[in-house]
Amino acid sequence: LLDPSTAPGGFSFAKVHDMVGRRLKRAAPFRRRLVEVPFRLAHPAWIEDPDFDLDYHVRRACLPSPGGRSELEDFLGQVVALPLDRHRPLWELYVVEGLEDGLQAVVVKMHHCAIDGVSGAELSATWLDLEADPPADTDVDDWRPERVPNEIDLLVGAWAQMASSPVKALKAAKRLVETALHVSEHNREAGAFASPPPFSAPRTSFNLAITPHRRVALGEVSLDDLKAVKNHFECTVNDVVLALCAGALRRYLIARDELPEAPLVGFVPISVRADDERLSGGNRLSAMLTSLATDIADPLERLGLISSAMSEAKSQQSLVGADALTDWADFTFPALVGRAARLISSMRVFDRVRPVFNVTISNIPGPPFDLFLAGARVAGLYPLGPVVEGAGLNMTVMSYCGTVYFGLNGCRETVPDISALPAMIAESLEELLAATRPRHRAPAPTRRV
C-alpha cells in the first residue's frame, strides 16, 4: 500500500513505469525468460529476453468503489489465479488506483521458479528507496539480450545433464539414506516433540485437490505485541507467529465443526541463501514440518508445545542439510515430473489420501524503517505465497515498520471463508497478550477493631 501524498511532484503510473525500466539493470531475474528443452528432457534454460516488453509487464488497474479492503482482496485473488506467460519473463506489476483514503497500491507477482520469499523481497527492494526524493540512478545499463538457443544447442546441454544424472542420483540417494538414519535416531530421542513425518497430517476441508481459483485475505498485528508475548514466554517471534496461525486455524475449523483430533502439521520454509547469492533469484530453500498443536485448547500450552516442537525441528533440519531439496530437483526429468503432477491433479489424488502437511506458514523479516516507491511512502507491505496440490492454504508473514503483515492465499473452493482468518489471528494474539498482563487483585477488606 502506498501513500502518494509524499511523492515530490505527485505520484503517477508513468513515474512507476519509468522507474522500473531504469532499474531493470539491477535485477537480472526480471529480465530473464525460460527456454524449454525439446521433449522436456532437461530443465529449461534462462536467457536474457531478446523481446523484452516493459509495457507488457507494468500494468494499470483501478478498484471499484469504495476501494476498500474487500475490493482489494478480490482484485488480488483474480491476479493470483491468472497463469503467467511462460514465453516472457515470469512477473507482472500492477499499479492499482481507486483505493479509499487516497491510497494506491503496487502489486507484484512473480513465479516461484524464479524467486523464493527472501530473494523476492530482495529483488522487490531494487524498486524501493530510503527517501521520497532519492539521488538519480547512476548505474550503468550493461545488460544485453541473448540469442534464443536453437534446438541442437538445447539438446546437447540436455544430454550432458542426463549423463550426469545417474551420478547425482546415487549421491543424493546415499545422502538420503544417511540422513534418514540420523533423523530417525534423533526423533526417537526427541519423543513427543519429534517432527511429524510426511503424510501424517490429518484431513481437513482445505487439504483437497486444488482448483485454478483463489481467494486472498489480508491482516496485520502490532510487532510490539508479538515481542511482548515472545519476551514474556521466552520463545521466538516465529514461535508466536506460528501460534497465532495455529489459534486462527483452530477457530476456523471449530466454526466449521471439523476440528480434527490430531494436531495440524505446518510446512515452514527456511532460507539457506548465502550472502553472495543476494539478488541472484532462484530458490535456496529448505523446510521443516512441525506440529501446530491445534488439538490443545489452552493457548499458552499450545504456544509452549509449538516452541518446543520448533526447537526439535531446527535440530532435525541441521541433520538434513541445506541441499536436501535441491539435490533431487537437479536430476529429475521435467517431462516425467510434469506428467506426474498433471496426473495427480486430474485424478484428484489428494481427495483420497492424507496430506503431506496441512498448511504453509512462511515468515519473512522486513525492514523497521520507512520505504518509498517512486516517491510514495510504503504504508503497508503484504506478502503472498503460493498454494500447492493437497494444501490449499498459504499463510505468509512479513514485518515492516513495527507492524506484522499477514497475506493469506487460499484455493477458492476449499477455503471459502478465508476472509474470517485475519480477525481470528488478532483474537489469538489477544489471548496470549492477556496472559502477559498483571492481574489486578481486589483490595483486602478493612478489619474492624
Side-chain angles (χ1 to χ4, degrees):
L1 292 181
L2 302 176
D3 177 5
S5 67
T6 64
F11 179 82
S12 68
F13 170 78
K15 289 182 70 172
V16 176
H17 183 281
D18 178 63
M19 179 273 297
V20 172
R22 284 185 285 107
R23 297 189 181 180
L24 279 174
K25 54 186 175 288
R26 299 184 184 180
F30 289 116
R31 311 186 306 256
R32 294 174 181 161
R33 74 172 176 89
L34 294 173
V35 179
E36 292 282 359
V37 176
F39 311 113
R40 304 191 72 189
L41 294 175
H43 295 295
W46 289 106
I47 66 166
E48 299 276 356
D49 186 10
D51 302 311
F52 186 83
D53 180 4
L54 183 62
D55 293 337
Y56 174 84
H57 295 279
V58 181
R59 307 175 179 187
R60 192 174 188 177
C62 186
L63 295 185
S65 180
R69 175 68 58 90
S70 177
E71 288 76 20
L72 180 59
E73 291 172 341
D74 287 345
F75 174 77
L76 291 172
Q78 295 169 17
V79 169
V80 169
L82 294 174
L84 289 158
D85 185 349
R86 293 174 66 91
H87 296 94
R88 299 177 181 271
L90 296 172
W91 66 277
E92 298 168 351
L93 181 151
Y94 296 80
V95 177
V96 185
E97 302 167 352
L99 277 72
E100 61 185 0
D101 300 324
L103 297 179
Q104 295 197 31
V106 164
V107 178
V108 182
K109 180 173 75 168
M110 196 166 192
H111 200 289
H112 214 306
C113 73
I115 58 166
D116 54 36
V118 171
S119 64
E122 291 174 345
L123 287 166
S124 296
T126 63
W127 297 333
L128 299 169
D129 300 299
L130 300 178
E131 52 189 309
D133 192 12
D137 296 324
T138 58
D139 297 352
V140 177
D141 189 358
D142 58 354
W143 77 279
R144 295 290 180 270
E146 295 181 82
R147 175 184 67 87
V148 178
N150 58 41
E151 293 184 352
I152 300 299
D153 294 335
L154 292 168
L155 286 171
V156 168
W159 285 115
Q161 182 176 319
M162 291 169 64
S164 64
S165 291
V167 176
K168 291 180 179 178
L170 288 173
K171 290 181 178 179
K174 180 175 180 292
R175 281 195 292 268
L176 176 65
V177 172
E178 292 173 349
T179 298
L181 293 174
H182 292 152
V183 169
S184 178
E185 181 180 353
H186 174 84
N187 284 347
R188 282 197 299 270
E189 296 174 357
F193 300 120
S195 295
F199 295 102
S200 65
R203 295 283 299 275
T204 74
S205 58
F206 48 81
N207 295 121
L208 301 171
I210 58 173
T211 73
H213 314 123
R214 302 287 175 266
R215 286 187 188 273
V216 165
L218 308 175
E220 58 280 313
V221 298
S222 165
L223 179 58
D224 285 342
D225 286 347
L226 258 70
K227 288 182 176 179
V229 175
K230 183 263 295 186
N231 294 335
H232 186 85
F233 294 106
E234 299 181 346
C235 57
T236 69
V237 168
N238 194 56
D239 293 338
V240 181
V241 167
L242 290 172
L244 298 189
C245 292
L249 291 171
R250 178 181 165 86
R251 282 176 161 80
Y252 180 90
L253 293 171
I254 288 175
R256 295 175 59 87
D257 194 26
E258 59 172 288
L259 179 68
E261 294 183 3
L264 299 187
V265 174
F267 178 87
V268 183
I270 305 168
S271 175
V272 293
R273 185 173 299 275
D275 291 340
D276 60 356
E277 295 174 309
R278 187 175 179 273
L279 298 181
S280 61
N283 282 266
R284 293 291 296 153
L285 285 177
S286 187
M288 299 183 295
L289 293 181
T290 186
S291 169
L292 297 177
T294 49
D295 55 326
I296 304 299
D298 185 338
L300 305 187
E301 184 181 354
R302 190 185 314 128
L303 173 61
L305 289 171
I306 288 173
S307 180
S308 298
M310 280 299 292
S311 295
E312 288 300 327
K314 290 172 185 175
S315 299
Q316 177 175 305
Q317 181 58 34
S318 66
L319 298 174
V320 174
D323 297 325
L325 296 180
T326 55
D327 277 350
W328 289 99
D330 282 343
F331 62 82
T332 53
F333 293 101
L336 295 177
V337 174
R339 287 174 183 170
R342 286 191 292 273
L343 183 64
I344 289 171
S345 179
S346 64
M347 294 181 63
R348 302 187 66 87
V349 169
F350 281 98
D351 287 354
R352 296 183 291 275
V353 302
R354 294 187 71 166
V356 181
F357 54 87
N358 295 110
V359 59
T360 301
I361 304 177
S362 183
N363 185 9
I364 305 167
F369 45 80
D370 279 331
L371 296 172
F372 298 83
L373 191 149
R377 184 181 66 84
V378 176
L381 198 57
Y382 297 90
L384 288 169
V387 300
V388 297
E389 193 69 48
L393 177 62
N394 181 298
M395 310 175 80
T396 302
V397 184
M398 177 177 278
S399 59
Y400 168 66
C401 275
T403 300
V404 177
Y405 293 92
F406 288 76
L408 312 178
N409 182 21
C411 174
R412 188 180 186 91
E413 282 75 13
T414 62
V415 198
D417 303 323
I418 194 171
S419 59
L421 282 170
M424 294 176 176
I425 290 171
E427 291 167 6
S428 296
L429 176 58
E430 185 55 39
E431 274 185 335
L432 294 172
L433 276 174
T436 69
R437 299 177 183 128
R439 297 180 180 178
H440 297 288
R441 297 180 179 178
T446 303
R447 294 182 62 189
R448 293 180 180 271
V449 178

PDB file of all heavy atoms in Angstrom, residues 226 230 235-245 268-270 288 290 303 306-307 310 314 361-364 397:
ATOM      1  N   LEU A 226       3.654  -8.753  19.516  1.00  0.00           N
ATOM      2  CA  LEU A 226       4.294 -10.059  19.326  1.00  0.00           C
ATOM      3  C   LEU A 226       5.541 -10.183  20.200  1.00  0.00           C
ATOM      4  O   LEU A 226       5.779 -11.229  20.817  1.00  0.00           O
ATOM      5  CB  LEU A 226       4.675 -10.248  17.850  1.00  0.00           C
ATOM      6  CG  LEU A 226       3.741 -11.158  17.030  1.00  0.00           C
ATOM      7  CD1 LEU A 226       2.408 -10.451  16.824  1.00  0.00           C
ATOM      8  CD2 LEU A 226       4.355 -11.503  15.693  1.00  0.00           C
ATOM      9  N   LYS A 230       6.601 -12.793  23.076  1.00  0.00           N
ATOM     10  CA  LYS A 230       7.882 -13.501  22.936  1.00  0.00           C
ATOM     11  C   LYS A 230       8.743 -13.330  24.183  1.00  0.00           C
ATOM     12  O   LYS A 230       9.307 -14.304  24.713  1.00  0.00           O
ATOM     13  CB  LYS A 230       8.609 -12.966  21.702  1.00  0.00           C
ATOM     14  CG  LYS A 230       9.926 -13.650  21.385  1.00  0.00           C
ATOM     15  CD  LYS A 230      11.153 -12.924  21.897  1.00  0.00           C
ATOM     16  CE  LYS A 230      11.356 -11.583  21.225  1.00  0.00           C
ATOM     17  NZ  LYS A 230      12.658 -10.957  21.639  1.00  0.00           N
ATOM     18  N   CYS A 235      10.321 -17.226  24.157  1.00  0.00           N
ATOM     19  CA  CYS A 235      10.346 -18.004  22.922  1.00  0.00           C
ATOM     20  C   CYS A 235      10.807 -17.080  21.802  1.00  0.00           C
ATOM     21  O   CYS A 235      11.405 -16.034  22.060  1.00  0.00           O
ATOM     22  CB  CYS A 235       8.969 -18.609  22.638  1.00  0.00           C
ATOM     23  SG  CYS A 235       7.627 -17.393  22.524  1.00  0.00           S
ATOM     24  N   THR A 236      10.549 -17.413  20.556  1.00  0.00           N
ATOM     25  CA  THR A 236      10.941 -16.571  19.430  1.00  0.00           C
ATOM     26  C   THR A 236       9.722 -15.915  18.798  1.00  0.00           C
ATOM     27  O   THR A 236       8.582 -16.366  18.998  1.00  0.00           O
ATOM     28  CB  THR A 236      11.678 -17.393  18.351  1.00  0.00           C
ATOM     29  OG1 THR A 236      10.739 -18.284  17.730  1.00  0.00           O
ATOM     30  CG2 THR A 236      12.824 -18.202  18.955  1.00  0.00           C
ATOM     31  N   VAL A 237       9.968 -14.852  18.031  1.00  0.00           N
ATOM     32  CA  VAL A 237       8.875 -14.206  17.301  1.00  0.00           C
ATOM     33  C   VAL A 237       8.227 -15.204  16.348  1.00  0.00           C
ATOM     34  O   VAL A 237       6.999 -15.230  16.191  1.00  0.00           O
ATOM     35  CB  VAL A 237       9.389 -12.968  16.538  1.00  0.00           C
ATOM     36  CG1 VAL A 237       8.332 -12.464  15.549  1.00  0.00           C
ATOM     37  CG2 VAL A 237       9.754 -11.853  17.508  1.00  0.00           C
ATOM     38  N   ASN A 238       9.037 -16.045  15.713  1.00  0.00           N
ATOM     39  CA  ASN A 238       8.480 -17.032  14.789  1.00  0.00           C
ATOM     40  C   ASN A 238       7.577 -18.029  15.516  1.00  0.00           C
ATOM     41  O   ASN A 238       6.550 -18.457  14.969  1.00  0.00           O
ATOM     42  CB  ASN A 238       9.597 -17.778  14.065  1.00  0.00           C
ATOM     43  CG  ASN A 238       9.094 -18.555  12.876  1.00  0.00           C
ATOM     44  OD1 ASN A 238       8.463 -18.009  11.977  1.00  0.00           O
ATOM     45  ND2 ASN A 238       9.349 -19.860  12.864  1.00  0.00           N
ATOM     46  N   ASP A 239       7.948 -18.400  16.754  1.00  0.00           N
ATOM     47  CA  ASP A 239       7.075 -19.273  17.550  1.00  0.00           C
ATOM     48  C   ASP A 239       5.710 -18.613  17.760  1.00  0.00           C
ATOM     49  O   ASP A 239       4.662 -19.267  17.664  1.00  0.00           O
ATOM     50  CB  ASP A 239       7.708 -19.577  18.910  1.00  0.00           C
ATOM     51  CG  ASP A 239       8.968 -20.418  18.810  1.00  0.00           C
ATOM     52  OD1 ASP A 239       9.141 -21.109  17.791  1.00  0.00           O
ATOM     53  OD2 ASP A 239       9.770 -20.382  19.760  1.00  0.00           O
ATOM     54  N   VAL A 240       5.732 -17.311  18.060  1.00  0.00           N
ATOM     55  CA  VAL A 240       4.476 -16.593  18.296  1.00  0.00           C
ATOM     56  C   VAL A 240       3.658 -16.517  17.015  1.00  0.00           C
ATOM     57  O   VAL A 240       2.431 -16.701  17.020  1.00  0.00           O
ATOM     58  CB  VAL A 240       4.749 -15.183  18.852  1.00  0.00           C
ATOM     59  CG1 VAL A 240       3.430 -14.454  19.117  1.00  0.00           C
ATOM     60  CG2 VAL A 240       5.567 -15.256  20.136  1.00  0.00           C
ATOM     61  N   VAL A 241       4.325 -16.262  15.873  1.00  0.00           N
ATOM     62  CA  VAL A 241       3.619 -16.224  14.589  1.00  0.00           C
ATOM     63  C   VAL A 241       2.928 -17.560  14.328  1.00  0.00           C
ATOM     64  O   VAL A 241       1.755 -17.612  13.940  1.00  0.00           O
ATOM     65  CB  VAL A 241       4.600 -15.887  13.447  1.00  0.00           C
ATOM     66  CG1 VAL A 241       3.965 -16.166  12.084  1.00  0.00           C
ATOM     67  CG2 VAL A 241       5.028 -14.428  13.536  1.00  0.00           C
ATOM     68  N   LEU A 242       3.645 -18.657  14.543  1.00  0.00           N
ATOM     69  CA  LEU A 242       3.052 -19.982  14.336  1.00  0.00           C
ATOM     70  C   LEU A 242       1.876 -20.206  15.278  1.00  0.00           C
ATOM     71  O   LEU A 242       0.854 -20.788  14.893  1.00  0.00           O
ATOM     72  CB  LEU A 242       4.109 -21.066  14.541  1.00  0.00           C
ATOM     73  CG  LEU A 242       5.198 -21.153  13.469  1.00  0.00           C
ATOM     74  CD1 LEU A 242       6.286 -22.139  13.900  1.00  0.00           C
ATOM     75  CD2 LEU A 242       4.621 -21.576  12.132  1.00  0.00           C
ATOM     76  N   ALA A 243       2.016 -19.738  16.522  1.00  0.00           N
ATOM     77  CA  ALA A 243       0.927 -19.905  17.494  1.00  0.00           C
ATOM     78  C   ALA A 243      -0.306 -19.107  17.084  1.00  0.00           C
ATOM     79  O   ALA A 243      -1.440 -19.564  17.265  1.00  0.00           O
ATOM     80  CB  ALA A 243       1.402 -19.479  18.886  1.00  0.00           C
ATOM     81  N   LEU A 244      -0.108 -17.900  16.522  1.00  0.00           N
ATOM     82  CA  LEU A 244      -1.248 -17.104  16.057  1.00  0.00           C
ATOM     83  C   LEU A 244      -1.952 -17.799  14.899  1.00  0.00           C
ATOM     84  O   LEU A 244      -3.190 -17.854  14.853  1.00  0.00           O
ATOM     85  CB  LEU A 244      -0.776 -15.716  15.617  1.00  0.00           C
ATOM     86  CG  LEU A 244      -0.126 -14.819  16.666  1.00  0.00           C
ATOM     87  CD1 LEU A 244       0.077 -13.418  16.105  1.00  0.00           C
ATOM     88  CD2 LEU A 244      -0.951 -14.764  17.935  1.00  0.00           C
ATOM     89  N   CYS A 245      -1.162 -18.323  13.962  1.00  0.00           N
ATOM     90  CA  CYS A 245      -1.766 -19.042  12.831  1.00  0.00           C
ATOM     91  C   CYS A 245      -2.490 -20.294  13.324  1.00  0.00           C
ATOM     92  O   CYS A 245      -3.595 -20.608  12.858  1.00  0.00           O
ATOM     93  CB  CYS A 245      -0.684 -19.417  11.818  1.00  0.00           C
ATOM     94  SG  CYS A 245       0.059 -17.997  10.964  1.00  0.00           S
ATOM     95  N   VAL A 268       7.082 -25.225   7.093  1.00  0.00           N
ATOM     96  CA  VAL A 268       7.738 -23.945   7.375  1.00  0.00           C
ATOM     97  C   VAL A 268       8.987 -23.828   6.508  1.00  0.00           C
ATOM     98  O   VAL A 268       9.998 -24.480   6.782  1.00  0.00           O
ATOM     99  CB  VAL A 268       8.111 -23.831   8.868  1.00  0.00           C
ATOM    100  CG1 VAL A 268       8.732 -22.469   9.167  1.00  0.00           C
ATOM    101  CG2 VAL A 268       6.886 -24.070   9.749  1.00  0.00           C
ATOM    102  N   PRO A 269       8.949 -23.023   5.435  1.00  0.00           N
ATOM    103  CA  PRO A 269      10.145 -22.843   4.595  1.00  0.00           C
ATOM    104  C   PRO A 269      11.247 -22.115   5.347  1.00  0.00           C
ATOM    105  O   PRO A 269      10.990 -21.259   6.201  1.00  0.00           O
ATOM    106  CB  PRO A 269       9.633 -21.994   3.426  1.00  0.00           C
ATOM    107  CG  PRO A 269       8.149 -22.109   3.458  1.00  0.00           C
ATOM    108  CD  PRO A 269       7.791 -22.306   4.898  1.00  0.00           C
ATOM    109  N   ILE A 270      12.494 -22.467   5.006  1.00  0.00           N
ATOM    110  CA  ILE A 270      13.672 -21.849   5.623  1.00  0.00           C
ATOM    111  C   ILE A 270      14.627 -21.435   4.516  1.00  0.00           C
ATOM    112  O   ILE A 270      14.969 -22.242   3.651  1.00  0.00           O
ATOM    113  CB  ILE A 270      14.405 -22.832   6.560  1.00  0.00           C
ATOM    114  CG1 ILE A 270      13.444 -23.380   7.609  1.00  0.00           C
ATOM    115  CG2 ILE A 270      15.600 -22.171   7.225  1.00  0.00           C
ATOM    116  CD1 ILE A 270      14.029 -24.541   8.367  1.00  0.00           C
ATOM    117  N   MET A 288      10.875 -27.243   7.143  1.00  0.00           N
ATOM    118  CA  MET A 288      10.617 -28.067   8.318  1.00  0.00           C
ATOM    119  C   MET A 288       9.134 -28.396   8.382  1.00  0.00           C
ATOM    120  O   MET A 288       8.291 -27.589   7.978  1.00  0.00           O
ATOM    121  CB  MET A 288      11.013 -27.332   9.601  1.00  0.00           C
ATOM    122  CG  MET A 288      12.472 -26.955   9.715  1.00  0.00           C
ATOM    123  SD  MET A 288      12.862 -26.163  11.301  1.00  0.00           S
ATOM    124  CE  MET A 288      11.898 -24.652  11.194  1.00  0.00           C
ATOM    125  N   THR A 290       6.315 -29.184  11.253  1.00  0.00           N
ATOM    126  CA  THR A 290       6.174 -29.013  12.692  1.00  0.00           C
ATOM    127  C   THR A 290       4.711 -29.114  13.106  1.00  0.00           C
ATOM    128  O   THR A 290       3.808 -28.750  12.339  1.00  0.00           O
ATOM    129  CB  THR A 290       6.747 -27.653  13.149  1.00  0.00           C
ATOM    130  OG1 THR A 290       6.734 -27.564  14.568  1.00  0.00           O
ATOM    131  CG2 THR A 290       5.959 -26.494  12.552  1.00  0.00           C
ATOM    132  N   LEU A 303       1.273 -22.610  22.673  1.00  0.00           N
ATOM    133  CA  LEU A 303       2.499 -21.879  22.352  1.00  0.00           C
ATOM    134  C   LEU A 303       3.723 -22.627  22.856  1.00  0.00           C
ATOM    135  O   LEU A 303       4.735 -22.729  22.149  1.00  0.00           O
ATOM    136  CB  LEU A 303       2.445 -20.476  22.959  1.00  0.00           C
ATOM    137  CG  LEU A 303       3.724 -19.643  22.855  1.00  0.00           C
ATOM    138  CD1 LEU A 303       4.121 -19.413  21.395  1.00  0.00           C
ATOM    139  CD2 LEU A 303       3.559 -18.298  23.582  1.00  0.00           C
ATOM    140  N   ILE A 306       4.386 -25.606  20.587  1.00  0.00           N
ATOM    141  CA  ILE A 306       4.914 -25.173  19.289  1.00  0.00           C
ATOM    142  C   ILE A 306       6.371 -24.763  19.418  1.00  0.00           C
ATOM    143  O   ILE A 306       7.207 -25.104  18.575  1.00  0.00           O
ATOM    144  CB  ILE A 306       4.054 -24.012  18.733  1.00  0.00           C
ATOM    145  CG1 ILE A 306       2.693 -24.532  18.271  1.00  0.00           C
ATOM    146  CG2 ILE A 306       4.771 -23.297  17.586  1.00  0.00           C
ATOM    147  CD1 ILE A 306       1.718 -23.446  17.868  1.00  0.00           C
ATOM    148  N   SER A 307       6.686 -24.031  20.474  1.00  0.00           N
ATOM    149  CA  SER A 307       8.077 -23.601  20.683  1.00  0.00           C
ATOM    150  C   SER A 307       9.001 -24.799  20.843  1.00  0.00           C
ATOM    151  O   SER A 307      10.089 -24.846  20.253  1.00  0.00           O
ATOM    152  CB  SER A 307       8.157 -22.689  21.922  1.00  0.00           C
ATOM    153  OG  SER A 307       9.478 -22.260  22.137  1.00  0.00           O
ATOM    154  N   MET A 310       9.349 -26.591  17.464  1.00  0.00           N
ATOM    155  CA  MET A 310      10.207 -25.870  16.538  1.00  0.00           C
ATOM    156  C   MET A 310      11.678 -26.038  16.896  1.00  0.00           C
ATOM    157  O   MET A 310      12.541 -26.139  16.014  1.00  0.00           O
ATOM    158  CB  MET A 310       9.842 -24.391  16.521  1.00  0.00           C
ATOM    159  CG  MET A 310       8.624 -24.082  15.676  1.00  0.00           C
ATOM    160  SD  MET A 310       8.844 -24.524  13.927  1.00  0.00           S
ATOM    161  CE  MET A 310      10.084 -23.341  13.433  1.00  0.00           C
ATOM    162  N   LYS A 314      14.293 -27.602  14.270  1.00  0.00           N
ATOM    163  CA  LYS A 314      15.536 -26.951  13.852  1.00  0.00           C
ATOM    164  C   LYS A 314      16.722 -27.886  14.042  1.00  0.00           C
ATOM    165  O   LYS A 314      17.644 -27.918  13.216  1.00  0.00           O
ATOM    166  CB  LYS A 314      15.741 -25.667  14.642  1.00  0.00           C
ATOM    167  CG  LYS A 314      14.747 -24.567  14.276  1.00  0.00           C
ATOM    168  CD  LYS A 314      14.871 -23.386  15.214  1.00  0.00           C
ATOM    169  CE  LYS A 314      13.797 -22.345  14.928  1.00  0.00           C
ATOM    170  NZ  LYS A 314      13.814 -21.233  15.916  1.00  0.00           N
ATOM    171  N   ILE A 361       3.277 -22.042   6.279  1.00  0.00           N
ATOM    172  CA  ILE A 361       3.393 -20.813   7.072  1.00  0.00           C
ATOM    173  C   ILE A 361       4.816 -20.297   6.909  1.00  0.00           C
ATOM    174  O   ILE A 361       5.776 -20.940   7.346  1.00  0.00           O
ATOM    175  CB  ILE A 361       3.067 -21.042   8.553  1.00  0.00           C
ATOM    176  CG1 ILE A 361       1.672 -21.656   8.714  1.00  0.00           C
ATOM    177  CG2 ILE A 361       3.173 -19.735   9.329  1.00  0.00           C
ATOM    178  CD1 ILE A 361       1.305 -21.974  10.150  1.00  0.00           C
ATOM    179  N   SER A 362       4.956 -19.144   6.280  1.00  0.00           N
ATOM    180  CA  SER A 362       6.270 -18.588   5.968  1.00  0.00           C
ATOM    181  C   SER A 362       6.402 -17.217   6.619  1.00  0.00           C
ATOM    182  O   SER A 362       5.502 -16.383   6.516  1.00  0.00           O
ATOM    183  CB  SER A 362       6.435 -18.471   4.449  1.00  0.00           C
ATOM    184  OG  SER A 362       7.712 -17.991   4.114  1.00  0.00           O
ATOM    185  N   ASN A 363       7.537 -16.981   7.274  1.00  0.00           N
ATOM    186  CA  ASN A 363       7.792 -15.721   7.986  1.00  0.00           C
ATOM    187  C   ASN A 363       9.035 -15.071   7.391  1.00  0.00           C
ATOM    188  O   ASN A 363      10.124 -15.627   7.469  1.00  0.00           O
ATOM    189  CB  ASN A 363       7.975 -15.999   9.480  1.00  0.00           C
ATOM    190  CG  ASN A 363       8.111 -14.722  10.289  1.00  0.00           C
ATOM    191  OD1 ASN A 363       7.915 -13.626   9.779  1.00  0.00           O
ATOM    192  ND2 ASN A 363       8.475 -14.859  11.556  1.00  0.00           N
ATOM    193  N   ILE A 364       8.869 -13.895   6.780  1.00  0.00           N
ATOM    194  CA  ILE A 364       9.965 -13.197   6.113  1.00  0.00           C
ATOM    195  C   ILE A 364      10.244 -11.899   6.861  1.00  0.00           C
ATOM    196  O   ILE A 364       9.360 -11.045   6.998  1.00  0.00           O
ATOM    197  CB  ILE A 364       9.598 -12.879   4.648  1.00  0.00           C
ATOM    198  CG1 ILE A 364       9.191 -14.156   3.912  1.00  0.00           C
ATOM    199  CG2 ILE A 364      10.764 -12.185   3.931  1.00  0.00           C
ATOM    200  CD1 ILE A 364       8.527 -13.899   2.576  1.00  0.00           C
ATOM    201  N   VAL A 397       3.936 -14.166   6.186  1.00  0.00           N
ATOM    202  CA  VAL A 397       4.020 -13.082   7.164  1.00  0.00           C
ATOM    203  C   VAL A 397       5.271 -12.260   6.885  1.00  0.00           C
ATOM    204  O   VAL A 397       6.332 -12.817   6.572  1.00  0.00           O
ATOM    205  CB  VAL A 397       4.076 -13.655   8.596  1.00  0.00           C
ATOM    206  CG1 VAL A 397       4.065 -12.545   9.628  1.00  0.00           C
ATOM    207  CG2 VAL A 397       2.920 -14.621   8.840  1.00  0.00           C
TER     208      VAL A 397
END
